[in-house]
Amino acid sequence: MKLGDVLILSLALALIIIGIHQTMTQGVGASYAIFMFAVGLLFWFQLRRNQSKPAQNSPKPNPKKKKKS
């Protein structure tokens, strides 16, 4: 994982914790925006993670060896 990915994931986790605290003290309406921002960061993290990995599902073509006649 790169530094940017770690920062995005850490910020999302911190916002989730802050959102839980806000929910317990002030209610869901006050923390809704915080949760949505955290979910947006999690989607961004997943997008960056999927784009950085090469296509692992596509099989590599095996070169066929020529047989001597």
Side-chain angles (χ1 to χ4, degrees):
M1 249 195 299
K2 295 182 181 179
L3 179 63
D5 294 337
V6 171
L7 290 175
I8 291 171
L9 190 60
S10 301
L11 184 59
L13 179 63
L15 285 175
I16 290 172
I17 292 171
I18 292 170
I20 290 171
H21 179 265
Q22 289 287 325
T23 300
M24 292 186 336
T25 57
Q26 297 179 356
V28 176
S31 62
Y32 179 77
I34 296 171
F35 281 125
M36 289 300 108
F37 192 61
V39 168
L41 286 174
L42 288 173
F43 281 138
W44 188 23
F45 170 75
Q46 191 68 28
L47 178 70
R48 286 175 53 104
R49 191 169 162 199
N50 286 340
Q51 286 180 347
S52 68
K53 289 184 180 179
Q56 295 177 355
N57 294 340
S58 62
K60 294 180 181 178
N62 293 332
K64 293 183 180 179
K65 295 181 182 179
K66 294 183 179 180
K67 295 181 180 180
K68 293 183 179 179
S69 315

